[in-house]
Amino acid sequence: MKTRESVIADKWNRPLRDLRISVTDQCNFRCVYCMPAEIFGPNFRFLREDELLTIEEMTLLAESFAELGVEKIRITGGEPLLRRDLDVFIERLVRIPGIRDIGLTTNGIHLVKWAKRLKEAGLKRVNVSLDALDDDIFK
């Protein structure tokens, strides 16, 4: 597949073809490297739902970046599977001309609940971040 000319580049003049979209700041884990409990404790104020970008706003951003040469989108969070309209967002992303790859990074806890809906929405790639396979080490 031929790569389109990118209009945007980084400071080393490399074309920017990948875009990461964080769909929520919330996560159900408190990993020490990402959301340490001493900072993101019970009193930490995450964004309210009405403070997050809407599906329409995120889609508009993705369309704009696609026009500038972005071809790949990675959906992240926090934990993206906590966003209840995630499948609707993916349905919109797969229709954007020029976007040839959409990936999702998740901790996997809610993947069983979401997998069928995400596949039906058009998602073809999921990256599951595992800190450990052993429960004692994970805790």
Side-chain angles (χ1 to χ4, degrees), residues 1 4 19 21 55-73 75 88-102 121-122:
M1 179 181 288
R4 295 177 306 140
L19 175 66
I21 299 176
I55 295 300
E56 292 75 19
E57 291 167 329
M58 290 187 297
T59 302
L60 179 61
L61 282 169
E63 290 168 340
S64 298
F65 276 97
E67 290 174 8
L68 295 172
V70 165
E71 300 172 338
K72 296 179 181 181
I73 296 179
I75 301 167
V88 175
F89 182 45
I90 291 169
E91 286 174 351
R92 295 193 184 174
L93 290 178
V94 298
R95 291 189 231 136
I96 297 175
I99 298 299
R100 60 180 183 83
D101 183 46
I102 300 166

PDB file of all heavy atoms in Angstrom, residues 1 4 19 21 55-73 75 88-102 121-122:
ATOM      1  N   MET A   1       0.849  -1.180   0.000  1.00  0.00           N
ATOM      2  CA  MET A   1       0.000   0.000   0.000  1.00  0.00           C
ATOM      3  C   MET A   1       0.892   1.240   0.000  1.00  0.00           C
ATOM      4  O   MET A   1       1.776   1.384   0.831  1.00  0.00           O
ATOM      5  CB  MET A   1      -0.909  -0.018   1.228  1.00  0.00           C
ATOM      6  CG  MET A   1      -1.801   1.195   1.290  1.00  0.00           C
ATOM      7  SD  MET A   1      -2.865   1.213   2.754  1.00  0.00           S
ATOM      8  CE  MET A   1      -4.000  -0.072   2.309  1.00  0.00           C
ATOM      9  N   ARG A   4       0.616   7.958   1.725  1.00  0.00           N
ATOM     10  CA  ARG A   4       0.330   9.318   1.251  1.00  0.00           C
ATOM     11  C   ARG A   4       1.397  10.284   1.738  1.00  0.00           C
ATOM     12  O   ARG A   4       2.055  10.056   2.729  1.00  0.00           O
ATOM     13  CB  ARG A   4      -1.031   9.782   1.781  1.00  0.00           C
ATOM     14  CG  ARG A   4      -2.181   8.993   1.249  1.00  0.00           C
ATOM     15  CD  ARG A   4      -3.495   9.432   1.849  1.00  0.00           C
ATOM     16  NE  ARG A   4      -3.427   9.403   3.299  1.00  0.00           N
ATOM     17  CZ  ARG A   4      -3.968  10.324   4.089  1.00  0.00           C
ATOM     18  NH1 ARG A   4      -4.608  11.332   3.581  1.00  0.00           N
ATOM     19  NH2 ARG A   4      -3.880  10.239   5.387  1.00  0.00           N
ATOM     20  N   LEU A  19      -1.368   8.988  15.204  1.00  0.00           N
ATOM     21  CA  LEU A  19      -2.040   9.878  16.145  1.00  0.00           C
ATOM     22  C   LEU A  19      -2.558   9.043  17.306  1.00  0.00           C
ATOM     23  O   LEU A  19      -3.188   8.005  17.104  1.00  0.00           O
ATOM     24  CB  LEU A  19      -3.204  10.603  15.469  1.00  0.00           C
ATOM     25  CG  LEU A  19      -4.081  11.496  16.342  1.00  0.00           C
ATOM     26  CD1 LEU A  19      -3.282  12.693  16.851  1.00  0.00           C
ATOM     27  CD2 LEU A  19      -5.304  11.957  15.547  1.00  0.00           C
ATOM     28  N   ILE A  21      -5.102   9.075  20.465  1.00  0.00           N
ATOM     29  CA  ILE A  21      -6.248   9.797  21.022  1.00  0.00           C
ATOM     30  C   ILE A  21      -6.611   9.149  22.355  1.00  0.00           C
ATOM     31  O   ILE A  21      -6.980   7.977  22.415  1.00  0.00           O
ATOM     32  CB  ILE A  21      -7.458   9.772  20.069  1.00  0.00           C
ATOM     33  CG1 ILE A  21      -7.108  10.443  18.736  1.00  0.00           C
ATOM     34  CG2 ILE A  21      -8.658  10.461  20.719  1.00  0.00           C
ATOM     35  CD1 ILE A  21      -8.212  10.386  17.703  1.00  0.00           C
ATOM     36  N   ILE A  55     -17.649  12.492  21.046  1.00  0.00           N
ATOM     37  CA  ILE A  55     -17.332  11.641  19.896  1.00  0.00           C
ATOM     38  C   ILE A  55     -17.197  12.512  18.646  1.00  0.00           C
ATOM     39  O   ILE A  55     -16.282  12.331  17.843  1.00  0.00           O
ATOM     40  CB  ILE A  55     -18.436  10.573  19.702  1.00  0.00           C
ATOM     41  CG1 ILE A  55     -18.476   9.623  20.893  1.00  0.00           C
ATOM     42  CG2 ILE A  55     -18.241   9.818  18.392  1.00  0.00           C
ATOM     43  CD1 ILE A  55     -17.204   8.861  21.146  1.00  0.00           C
ATOM     44  N   GLU A  56     -18.090  13.473  18.494  1.00  0.00           N
ATOM     45  CA  GLU A  56     -18.049  14.354  17.331  1.00  0.00           C
ATOM     46  C   GLU A  56     -16.755  15.170  17.290  1.00  0.00           C
ATOM     47  O   GLU A  56     -16.141  15.328  16.239  1.00  0.00           O
ATOM     48  CB  GLU A  56     -19.263  15.293  17.317  1.00  0.00           C
ATOM     49  CG  GLU A  56     -20.591  14.606  17.081  1.00  0.00           C
ATOM     50  CD  GLU A  56     -21.130  13.820  18.291  1.00  0.00           C
ATOM     51  OE1 GLU A  56     -20.687  14.068  19.441  1.00  0.00           O
ATOM     52  OE2 GLU A  56     -21.978  12.935  18.069  1.00  0.00           O
ATOM     53  N   GLU A  57     -16.335  15.688  18.451  1.00  0.00           N
ATOM     54  CA  GLU A  57     -15.100  16.483  18.511  1.00  0.00           C
ATOM     55  C   GLU A  57     -13.870  15.627  18.205  1.00  0.00           C
ATOM     56  O   GLU A  57     -12.984  16.053  17.448  1.00  0.00           O
ATOM     57  CB  GLU A  57     -14.968  17.145  19.889  1.00  0.00           C
ATOM     58  CG  GLU A  57     -15.983  18.234  20.134  1.00  0.00           C
ATOM     59  CD  GLU A  57     -16.059  18.676  21.588  1.00  0.00           C
ATOM     60  OE1 GLU A  57     -15.815  17.855  22.502  1.00  0.00           O
ATOM     61  OE2 GLU A  57     -16.379  19.865  21.808  1.00  0.00           O
ATOM     62  N   MET A  58     -13.817  14.424  18.772  1.00  0.00           N
ATOM     63  CA  MET A  58     -12.673  13.543  18.508  1.00  0.00           C
ATOM     64  C   MET A  58     -12.653  13.098  17.050  1.00  0.00           C
ATOM     65  O   MET A  58     -11.585  12.993  16.441  1.00  0.00           O
ATOM     66  CB  MET A  58     -12.705  12.330  19.448  1.00  0.00           C
ATOM     67  CG  MET A  58     -12.418  12.687  20.889  1.00  0.00           C
ATOM     68  SD  MET A  58     -12.239  11.246  21.981  1.00  0.00           S
ATOM     69  CE  MET A  58     -13.866  10.508  21.872  1.00  0.00           C
ATOM     70  N   THR A  59     -13.828  12.859  16.477  1.00  0.00           N
ATOM     71  CA  THR A  59     -13.899  12.478  15.065  1.00  0.00           C
ATOM     72  C   THR A  59     -13.424  13.615  14.176  1.00  0.00           C
ATOM     73  O   THR A  59     -12.670  13.397  13.217  1.00  0.00           O
ATOM     74  CB  THR A  59     -15.337  12.056  14.690  1.00  0.00           C
ATOM     75  OG1 THR A  59     -15.735  10.972  15.532  1.00  0.00           O
ATOM     76  CG2 THR A  59     -15.418  11.626  13.237  1.00  0.00           C
ATOM     77  N   LEU A  60     -13.837  14.828  14.482  1.00  0.00           N
ATOM     78  CA  LEU A  60     -13.388  15.992  13.717  1.00  0.00           C
ATOM     79  C   LEU A  60     -11.867  16.134  13.786  1.00  0.00           C
ATOM     80  O   LEU A  60     -11.210  16.409  12.767  1.00  0.00           O
ATOM     81  CB  LEU A  60     -14.068  17.260  14.233  1.00  0.00           C
ATOM     82  CG  LEU A  60     -13.670  18.564  13.541  1.00  0.00           C
ATOM     83  CD1 LEU A  60     -14.025  18.524  12.059  1.00  0.00           C
ATOM     84  CD2 LEU A  60     -14.359  19.740  14.220  1.00  0.00           C
ATOM     85  N   LEU A  61     -11.286  15.945  14.951  1.00  0.00           N
ATOM     86  CA  LEU A  61      -9.828  15.987  15.084  1.00  0.00           C
ATOM     87  C   LEU A  61      -9.177  14.904  14.226  1.00  0.00           C
ATOM     88  O   LEU A  61      -8.204  15.170  13.510  1.00  0.00           O
ATOM     89  CB  LEU A  61      -9.414  15.804  16.541  1.00  0.00           C
ATOM     90  CG  LEU A  61      -9.568  17.016  17.435  1.00  0.00           C
ATOM     91  CD1 LEU A  61      -9.377  16.632  18.894  1.00  0.00           C
ATOM     92  CD2 LEU A  61      -8.578  18.097  17.042  1.00  0.00           C
ATOM     93  N   ALA A  62      -9.697  13.687  14.285  1.00  0.00           N
ATOM     94  CA  ALA A  62      -9.141  12.588  13.495  1.00  0.00           C
ATOM     95  C   ALA A  62      -9.246  12.884  12.000  1.00  0.00           C
ATOM     96  O   ALA A  62      -8.298  12.635  11.245  1.00  0.00           O
ATOM     97  CB  ALA A  62      -9.850  11.284  13.842  1.00  0.00           C
ATOM     98  N   GLU A  63     -10.374  13.424  11.565  1.00  0.00           N
ATOM     99  CA  GLU A  63     -10.543  13.785  10.151  1.00  0.00           C
ATOM    100  C   GLU A  63      -9.541  14.857   9.736  1.00  0.00           C
ATOM    101  O   GLU A  63      -8.933  14.772   8.659  1.00  0.00           O
ATOM    102  CB  GLU A  63     -11.968  14.280   9.889  1.00  0.00           C
ATOM    103  CG  GLU A  63     -13.013  13.205   9.972  1.00  0.00           C
ATOM    104  CD  GLU A  63     -14.442  13.741   9.997  1.00  0.00           C
ATOM    105  OE1 GLU A  63     -14.650  14.935  10.319  1.00  0.00           O
ATOM    106  OE2 GLU A  63     -15.355  12.949   9.710  1.00  0.00           O
ATOM    107  N   SER A  64      -9.349  15.838  10.596  1.00  0.00           N
ATOM    108  CA  SER A  64      -8.407  16.925  10.302  1.00  0.00           C
ATOM    109  C   SER A  64      -6.983  16.396  10.190  1.00  0.00           C
ATOM    110  O   SER A  64      -6.246  16.770   9.264  1.00  0.00           O
ATOM    111  CB  SER A  64      -8.483  18.008  11.381  1.00  0.00           C
ATOM    112  OG  SER A  64      -9.770  18.573  11.413  1.00  0.00           O
ATOM    113  N   PHE A  65      -6.591  15.525  11.114  1.00  0.00           N
ATOM    114  CA  PHE A  65      -5.245  14.959  11.049  1.00  0.00           C
ATOM    115  C   PHE A  65      -5.090  14.027   9.852  1.00  0.00           C
ATOM    116  O   PHE A  65      -4.016  13.963   9.251  1.00  0.00           O
ATOM    117  CB  PHE A  65      -4.893  14.248  12.356  1.00  0.00           C
ATOM    118  CG  PHE A  65      -4.365  15.174  13.408  1.00  0.00           C
ATOM    119  CD1 PHE A  65      -5.197  15.682  14.398  1.00  0.00           C
ATOM    120  CD2 PHE A  65      -3.029  15.552  13.413  1.00  0.00           C
ATOM    121  CE1 PHE A  65      -4.704  16.549  15.359  1.00  0.00           C
ATOM    122  CE2 PHE A  65      -2.532  16.420  14.369  1.00  0.00           C
ATOM    123  CZ  PHE A  65      -3.368  16.925  15.351  1.00  0.00           C
ATOM    124  N   ALA A  66      -6.146  13.311   9.477  1.00  0.00           N
ATOM    125  CA  ALA A  66      -6.085  12.455   8.290  1.00  0.00           C
ATOM    126  C   ALA A  66      -5.834  13.295   7.035  1.00  0.00           C
ATOM    127  O   ALA A  66      -5.062  12.900   6.153  1.00  0.00           O
ATOM    128  CB  ALA A  66      -7.372  11.646   8.146  1.00  0.00           C
ATOM    129  N   GLU A  67      -6.439  14.457   6.968  1.00  0.00           N
ATOM    130  CA  GLU A  67      -6.212  15.357   5.831  1.00  0.00           C
ATOM    131  C   GLU A  67      -4.767  15.840   5.782  1.00  0.00           C
ATOM    132  O   GLU A  67      -4.264  16.198   4.716  1.00  0.00           O
ATOM    133  CB  GLU A  67      -7.162  16.547   5.898  1.00  0.00           C
ATOM    134  CG  GLU A  67      -8.601  16.173   5.613  1.00  0.00           C
ATOM    135  CD  GLU A  67      -9.576  17.327   5.830  1.00  0.00           C
ATOM    136  OE1 GLU A  67      -9.112  18.466   6.050  1.00  0.00           O
ATOM    137  OE2 GLU A  67     -10.787  17.065   5.784  1.00  0.00           O
ATOM    138  N   LEU A  68      -4.083  15.823   6.925  1.00  0.00           N
ATOM    139  CA  LEU A  68      -2.686  16.250   7.000  1.00  0.00           C
ATOM    140  C   LEU A  68      -1.704  15.084   6.818  1.00  0.00           C
ATOM    141  O   LEU A  68      -0.498  15.268   6.903  1.00  0.00           O
ATOM    142  CB  LEU A  68      -2.419  16.945   8.339  1.00  0.00           C
ATOM    143  CG  LEU A  68      -3.165  18.257   8.556  1.00  0.00           C
ATOM    144  CD1 LEU A  68      -2.969  18.750   9.981  1.00  0.00           C
ATOM    145  CD2 LEU A  68      -2.703  19.307   7.554  1.00  0.00           C
ATOM    146  N   GLY A  69      -2.230  13.881   6.597  1.00  0.00           N
ATOM    147  CA  GLY A  69      -1.370  12.734   6.320  1.00  0.00           C
ATOM    148  C   GLY A  69      -1.328  11.651   7.368  1.00  0.00           C
ATOM    149  O   GLY A  69      -0.656  10.638   7.181  1.00  0.00           O
ATOM    150  N   VAL A  70      -2.025  11.827   8.484  1.00  0.00           N
ATOM    151  CA  VAL A  70      -2.058  10.769   9.501  1.00  0.00           C
ATOM    152  C   VAL A  70      -2.822   9.573   8.935  1.00  0.00           C
ATOM    153  O   VAL A  70      -3.863   9.724   8.300  1.00  0.00           O
ATOM    154  CB  VAL A  70      -2.705  11.284  10.811  1.00  0.00           C
ATOM    155  CG1 VAL A  70      -3.086  10.137  11.733  1.00  0.00           C
ATOM    156  CG2 VAL A  70      -1.753  12.235  11.519  1.00  0.00           C
ATOM    157  N   GLU A  71      -2.263   8.380   9.155  1.00  0.00           N
ATOM    158  CA  GLU A  71      -2.854   7.145   8.636  1.00  0.00           C
ATOM    159  C   GLU A  71      -3.223   6.135   9.723  1.00  0.00           C
ATOM    160  O   GLU A  71      -4.009   5.235   9.489  1.00  0.00           O
ATOM    161  CB  GLU A  71      -1.873   6.463   7.687  1.00  0.00           C
ATOM    162  CG  GLU A  71      -1.501   7.311   6.505  1.00  0.00           C
ATOM    163  CD  GLU A  71      -0.398   6.702   5.673  1.00  0.00           C
ATOM    164  OE1 GLU A  71       0.373   5.859   6.183  1.00  0.00           O
ATOM    165  OE2 GLU A  71      -0.307   7.078   4.503  1.00  0.00           O
ATOM    166  N   LYS A  72      -2.601   6.281  10.889  1.00  0.00           N
ATOM    167  CA  LYS A  72      -2.824   5.332  11.980  1.00  0.00           C
ATOM    168  C   LYS A  72      -3.325   6.076  13.206  1.00  0.00           C
ATOM    169  O   LYS A  72      -2.806   7.136  13.551  1.00  0.00           O
ATOM    170  CB  LYS A  72      -1.520   4.636  12.371  1.00  0.00           C
ATOM    171  CG  LYS A  72      -0.914   3.779  11.304  1.00  0.00           C
ATOM    172  CD  LYS A  72       0.372   3.182  11.860  1.00  0.00           C
ATOM    173  CE  LYS A  72       1.067   2.317  10.845  1.00  0.00           C
ATOM    174  NZ  LYS A  72       2.300   1.741  11.419  1.00  0.00           N
ATOM    175  N   ILE A  73      -4.300   5.474  13.878  1.00  0.00           N
ATOM    176  CA  ILE A  73      -4.820   6.045  15.115  1.00  0.00           C
ATOM    177  C   ILE A  73      -4.759   4.983  16.201  1.00  0.00           C
ATOM    178  O   ILE A  73      -5.187   3.848  15.993  1.00  0.00           O
ATOM    179  CB  ILE A  73      -6.261   6.564  14.944  1.00  0.00           C
ATOM    180  CG1 ILE A  73      -6.275   7.716  13.943  1.00  0.00           C
ATOM    181  CG2 ILE A  73      -6.846   6.986  16.292  1.00  0.00           C
ATOM    182  CD1 ILE A  73      -7.635   8.290  13.663  1.00  0.00           C
ATOM    183  N   ILE A  75      -6.052   4.343  20.018  1.00  0.00           N
ATOM    184  CA  ILE A  75      -6.991   4.797  21.048  1.00  0.00           C
ATOM    185  C   ILE A  75      -6.454   4.342  22.398  1.00  0.00           C
ATOM    186  O   ILE A  75      -6.176   3.162  22.603  1.00  0.00           O
ATOM    187  CB  ILE A  75      -8.391   4.220  20.793  1.00  0.00           C
ATOM    188  CG1 ILE A  75      -8.894   4.645  19.417  1.00  0.00           C
ATOM    189  CG2 ILE A  75      -9.358   4.659  21.887  1.00  0.00           C
ATOM    190  CD1 ILE A  75     -10.114   3.888  18.946  1.00  0.00           C
ATOM    191  N   VAL A  88     -19.032   3.505  19.181  1.00  0.00           N
ATOM    192  CA  VAL A  88     -19.551   4.524  18.258  1.00  0.00           C
ATOM    193  C   VAL A  88     -18.378   5.308  17.661  1.00  0.00           C
ATOM    194  O   VAL A  88     -18.340   5.585  16.455  1.00  0.00           O
ATOM    195  CB  VAL A  88     -20.533   5.476  18.980  1.00  0.00           C
ATOM    196  CG1 VAL A  88     -20.974   6.597  18.062  1.00  0.00           C
ATOM    197  CG2 VAL A  88     -21.723   4.692  19.512  1.00  0.00           C
ATOM    198  N   PHE A  89     -17.398   5.640  18.497  1.00  0.00           N
ATOM    199  CA  PHE A  89     -16.217   6.363  18.030  1.00  0.00           C
ATOM    200  C   PHE A  89     -15.457   5.538  16.990  1.00  0.00           C
ATOM    201  O   PHE A  89     -15.073   6.042  15.932  1.00  0.00           O
ATOM    202  CB  PHE A  89     -15.324   6.727  19.214  1.00  0.00           C
ATOM    203  CG  PHE A  89     -14.110   7.518  18.865  1.00  0.00           C
ATOM    204  CD1 PHE A  89     -14.173   8.603  17.990  1.00  0.00           C
ATOM    205  CD2 PHE A  89     -12.889   7.195  19.412  1.00  0.00           C
ATOM    206  CE1 PHE A  89     -13.043   9.339  17.677  1.00  0.00           C
ATOM    207  CE2 PHE A  89     -11.752   7.930  19.108  1.00  0.00           C
ATOM    208  CZ  PHE A  89     -11.833   8.997  18.235  1.00  0.00           C
ATOM    209  N   ILE A  90     -15.263   4.268  17.265  1.00  0.00           N
ATOM    210  CA  ILE A  90     -14.547   3.401  16.328  1.00  0.00           C
ATOM    211  C   ILE A  90     -15.304   3.299  15.012  1.00  0.00           C
ATOM    212  O   ILE A  90     -14.701   3.366  13.933  1.00  0.00           O
ATOM    213  CB  ILE A  90     -14.295   2.019  16.959  1.00  0.00           C
ATOM    214  CG1 ILE A  90     -13.280   2.170  18.096  1.00  0.00           C
ATOM    215  CG2 ILE A  90     -13.803   1.017  15.913  1.00  0.00           C
ATOM    216  CD1 ILE A  90     -13.126   0.983  18.974  1.00  0.00           C
ATOM    217  N   GLU A  91     -16.622   3.164  15.072  1.00  0.00           N
ATOM    218  CA  GLU A  91     -17.429   3.127  13.841  1.00  0.00           C
ATOM    219  C   GLU A  91     -17.176   4.354  12.974  1.00  0.00           C
ATOM    220  O   GLU A  91     -17.128   4.270  11.754  1.00  0.00           O
ATOM    221  CB  GLU A  91     -18.924   3.045  14.177  1.00  0.00           C
ATOM    222  CG  GLU A  91     -19.378   1.707  14.666  1.00  0.00           C
ATOM    223  CD  GLU A  91     -20.841   1.723  15.129  1.00  0.00           C
ATOM    224  OE1 GLU A  91     -21.452   2.812  15.225  1.00  0.00           O
ATOM    225  OE2 GLU A  91     -21.350   0.627  15.422  1.00  0.00           O
ATOM    226  N   ARG A  92     -17.011   5.492  13.611  1.00  0.00           N
ATOM    227  CA  ARG A  92     -16.760   6.732  12.860  1.00  0.00           C
ATOM    228  C   ARG A  92     -15.331   6.776  12.332  1.00  0.00           C
ATOM    229  O   ARG A  92     -15.098   7.240  11.223  1.00  0.00           O
ATOM    230  CB  ARG A  92     -17.071   7.934  13.725  1.00  0.00           C
ATOM    231  CG  ARG A  92     -18.563   7.967  14.053  1.00  0.00           C
ATOM    232  CD  ARG A  92     -18.997   9.242  14.622  1.00  0.00           C
ATOM    233  NE  ARG A  92     -20.404   9.156  14.980  1.00  0.00           N
ATOM    234  CZ  ARG A  92     -21.040  10.105  15.609  1.00  0.00           C
ATOM    235  NH1 ARG A  92     -20.420  11.222  15.933  1.00  0.00           N
ATOM    236  NH2 ARG A  92     -22.310   9.973  15.906  1.00  0.00           N
ATOM    237  N   LEU A  93     -14.385   6.320  13.132  1.00  0.00           N
ATOM    238  CA  LEU A  93     -12.991   6.350  12.693  1.00  0.00           C
ATOM    239  C   LEU A  93     -12.759   5.487  11.456  1.00  0.00           C
ATOM    240  O   LEU A  93     -12.020   5.885  10.552  1.00  0.00           O
ATOM    241  CB  LEU A  93     -12.058   5.873  13.811  1.00  0.00           C
ATOM    242  CG  LEU A  93     -11.878   6.778  15.014  1.00  0.00           C
ATOM    243  CD1 LEU A  93     -10.962   6.116  16.039  1.00  0.00           C
ATOM    244  CD2 LEU A  93     -11.323   8.137  14.602  1.00  0.00           C
ATOM    245  N   VAL A  94     -13.380   4.310  11.411  1.00  0.00           N
ATOM    246  CA  VAL A  94     -13.127   3.406  10.279  1.00  0.00           C
ATOM    247  C   VAL A  94     -13.639   3.977   8.959  1.00  0.00           C
ATOM    248  O   VAL A  94     -13.211   3.537   7.894  1.00  0.00           O
ATOM    249  CB  VAL A  94     -13.695   1.979  10.514  1.00  0.00           C
ATOM    250  CG1 VAL A  94     -13.046   1.328  11.715  1.00  0.00           C
ATOM    251  CG2 VAL A  94     -15.200   1.977  10.639  1.00  0.00           C
ATOM    252  N   ARG A  95     -14.506   4.961   9.015  1.00  0.00           N
ATOM    253  CA  ARG A  95     -15.052   5.581   7.801  1.00  0.00           C
ATOM    254  C   ARG A  95     -14.237   6.770   7.298  1.00  0.00           C
ATOM    255  O   ARG A  95     -14.550   7.332   6.256  1.00  0.00           O
ATOM    256  CB  ARG A  95     -16.490   6.037   8.047  1.00  0.00           C
ATOM    257  CG  ARG A  95     -17.449   4.877   8.220  1.00  0.00           C
ATOM    258  CD  ARG A  95     -18.884   5.366   8.241  1.00  0.00           C
ATOM    259  NE  ARG A  95     -19.526   4.812   9.417  1.00  0.00           N
ATOM    260  CZ  ARG A  95     -20.304   5.471  10.245  1.00  0.00           C
ATOM    261  NH1 ARG A  95     -20.572   6.734  10.039  1.00  0.00           N
ATOM    262  NH2 ARG A  95     -20.840   4.882  11.279  1.00  0.00           N
ATOM    263  N   ILE A  96     -13.216   7.171   8.036  1.00  0.00           N
ATOM    264  CA  ILE A  96     -12.443   8.353   7.645  1.00  0.00           C
ATOM    265  C   ILE A  96     -11.492   7.987   6.507  1.00  0.00           C
ATOM    266  O   ILE A  96     -10.642   7.095   6.661  1.00  0.00           O
ATOM    267  CB  ILE A  96     -11.652   8.920   8.844  1.00  0.00           C
ATOM    268  CG1 ILE A  96     -12.614   9.382   9.940  1.00  0.00           C
ATOM    269  CG2 ILE A  96     -10.740  10.068   8.396  1.00  0.00           C
ATOM    270  CD1 ILE A  96     -11.921   9.842  11.217  1.00  0.00           C
ATOM    271  N   PRO A  97     -11.599   8.674   5.374  1.00  0.00           N
ATOM    272  CA  PRO A  97     -10.678   8.411   4.256  1.00  0.00           C
ATOM    273  C   PRO A  97      -9.228   8.655   4.673  1.00  0.00           C
ATOM    274  O   PRO A  97      -8.920   9.631   5.349  1.00  0.00           O
ATOM    275  CB  PRO A  97     -11.107   9.436   3.190  1.00  0.00           C
ATOM    276  CG  PRO A  97     -12.509   9.806   3.549  1.00  0.00           C
ATOM    277  CD  PRO A  97     -12.596   9.697   5.049  1.00  0.00           C
ATOM    278  N   GLY A  98      -8.365   7.729   4.302  1.00  0.00           N
ATOM    279  CA  GLY A  98      -6.943   7.859   4.609  1.00  0.00           C
ATOM    280  C   GLY A  98      -6.507   7.134   5.865  1.00  0.00           C
ATOM    281  O   GLY A  98      -5.335   6.824   6.022  1.00  0.00           O
ATOM    282  N   ILE A  99      -7.422   6.852   6.773  1.00  0.00           N
ATOM    283  CA  ILE A  99      -7.060   6.116   7.994  1.00  0.00           C
ATOM    284  C   ILE A  99      -7.056   4.636   7.630  1.00  0.00           C
ATOM    285  O   ILE A  99      -8.071   4.073   7.266  1.00  0.00           O
ATOM    286  CB  ILE A  99      -8.042   6.398   9.153  1.00  0.00           C
ATOM    287  CG1 ILE A  99      -8.028   7.880   9.527  1.00  0.00           C
ATOM    288  CG2 ILE A  99      -7.701   5.513  10.360  1.00  0.00           C
ATOM    289  CD1 ILE A  99      -6.688   8.413  10.008  1.00  0.00           C
ATOM    290  N   ARG A 100      -5.868   4.031   7.732  1.00  0.00           N
ATOM    291  CA  ARG A 100      -5.739   2.633   7.319  1.00  0.00           C
ATOM    292  C   ARG A 100      -5.524   1.675   8.484  1.00  0.00           C
ATOM    293  O   ARG A 100      -5.554   0.465   8.309  1.00  0.00           O
ATOM    294  CB  ARG A 100      -4.632   2.472   6.284  1.00  0.00           C
ATOM    295  CG  ARG A 100      -3.268   2.890   6.742  1.00  0.00           C
ATOM    296  CD  ARG A 100      -2.225   2.703   5.630  1.00  0.00           C
ATOM    297  NE  ARG A 100      -0.914   3.034   6.102  1.00  0.00           N
ATOM    298  CZ  ARG A 100      -0.119   2.219   6.772  1.00  0.00           C
ATOM    299  NH1 ARG A 100      -0.517   1.009   7.059  1.00  0.00           N
ATOM    300  NH2 ARG A 100       1.072   2.599   7.169  1.00  0.00           N
ATOM    301  N   ASP A 101      -5.316   2.225   9.697  1.00  0.00           N
ATOM    302  CA  ASP A 101      -5.073   1.359  10.841  1.00  0.00           C
ATOM    303  C   ASP A 101      -5.576   2.035  12.110  1.00  0.00           C
ATOM    304  O   ASP A 101      -5.257   3.192  12.367  1.00  0.00           O
ATOM    305  CB  ASP A 101      -3.573   1.075  10.962  1.00  0.00           C
ATOM    306  CG  ASP A 101      -3.260   0.122  12.105  1.00  0.00           C
ATOM    307  OD1 ASP A 101      -3.954  -0.901  12.231  1.00  0.00           O
ATOM    308  OD2 ASP A 101      -2.328   0.404  12.866  1.00  0.00           O
ATOM    309  N   ILE A 102      -6.375   1.292  12.875  1.00  0.00           N
ATOM    310  CA  ILE A 102      -6.871   1.780  14.162  1.00  0.00           C
ATOM    311  C   ILE A 102      -6.552   0.705  15.190  1.00  0.00           C
ATOM    312  O   ILE A 102      -6.925  -0.460  15.016  1.00  0.00           O
ATOM    313  CB  ILE A 102      -8.390   2.050  14.125  1.00  0.00           C
ATOM    314  CG1 ILE A 102      -8.717   3.097  13.063  1.00  0.00           C
ATOM    315  CG2 ILE A 102      -8.884   2.494  15.496  1.00  0.00           C
ATOM    316  CD1 ILE A 102     -10.175   3.178  12.715  1.00  0.00           C
ATOM    317  N   ALA A 121     -17.794  -2.905  15.373  1.00  0.00           N
ATOM    318  CA  ALA A 121     -17.586  -1.493  15.043  1.00  0.00           C
ATOM    319  C   ALA A 121     -16.483  -1.319  14.000  1.00  0.00           C
ATOM    320  O   ALA A 121     -16.383  -0.268  13.371  1.00  0.00           O
ATOM    321  CB  ALA A 121     -17.257  -0.694  16.303  1.00  0.00           C
ATOM    322  N   GLY A 122     -15.639  -2.347  13.835  1.00  0.00           N
ATOM    323  CA  GLY A 122     -14.585  -2.279  12.825  1.00  0.00           C
ATOM    324  C   GLY A 122     -13.170  -2.323  13.362  1.00  0.00           C
ATOM    325  O   GLY A 122     -12.213  -2.240  12.590  1.00  0.00           O
TER     326      GLY A 122
END
